[in-house]
Amino acid sequence: MKNIDTLEHVLKYIDANLDKTLSVEELARQAGYSPYHFSRVFSWGLGTSMMEYVRLRKMNMAAYYLSLPLKIIDIAMALGFETHSGFSKAFKKHFNCTPDAYRSQA
């Protein structure tokens, strides 16, 4: 049961800090475990790696933000990307279209 509570805490932490560059070490520290051990616990509990989960959450939030009247650069910055192009590249890799194309389809 402790692992489930710990995972819930870390998932909330991830969602509250999507604007930051999160690391395995930082998330493990939040859990109170070593990075190696928490990586195993996280994968066991969610079926994916920590950093893949963080990437998925950022992309899901980006899709939501694109439904709002926000500039793409503002969305990129809100999700912790350093550049518009870095955000667009990650978005296209995930959704197979650019943020502009995604917005126009919505």
Side-chain angles (χ1 to χ4, degrees):
M1 196 64 164
K2 181 181 184 312
N3 284 342
I4 293 171
D5 293 337
T6 301
L7 285 171
E8 286 179 8
H9 167 74
V10 171
L11 295 178
K12 288 178 186 175
Y13 180 82
I14 290 169
D15 282 345
N17 291 281
L18 287 176
D19 61 329
K20 297 181 176 79
T21 301
L22 299 171
S23 67
V24 170
E25 292 77 17
E26 179 182 358
L27 298 176
R29 194 170 32 256
Q30 284 293 316
Y33 292 129
S34 72
Y36 173 77
H37 180 69
F38 190 60
S39 292
R40 293 176 49 117
V41 169
F42 195 95
S43 292
W44 165 83
L46 278 90
T48 190
S49 73
M50 279 185 270
M51 299 321 296
E52 177 66 14
Y53 179 83
V54 169
R55 189 182 68 75
L56 290 173
R57 291 299 298 147
K58 285 187 179 207
M59 290 298 103
N60 288 336
M61 189 59 68
Y64 167 71
Y65 284 157
L66 286 167
S67 71
L68 303 174
L70 300 171
K71 293 180 183 178
I72 292 176
I73 187 66
D74 293 337
I75 295 170
M77 296 300 127
L79 294 173
F81 287 88
E82 293 181 10
T83 64
H84 180 286
S85 63
F87 168 70
S88 293
K89 183 178 178 181
F91 191 91
K92 186 171 183 177
K93 183 177 180 181
H94 182 75
F95 286 105
N96 205 28
C97 67
T98 66
D100 284 322
Y102 185 90
R103 177 175 269 167
S104 67
Q105 294 172 358

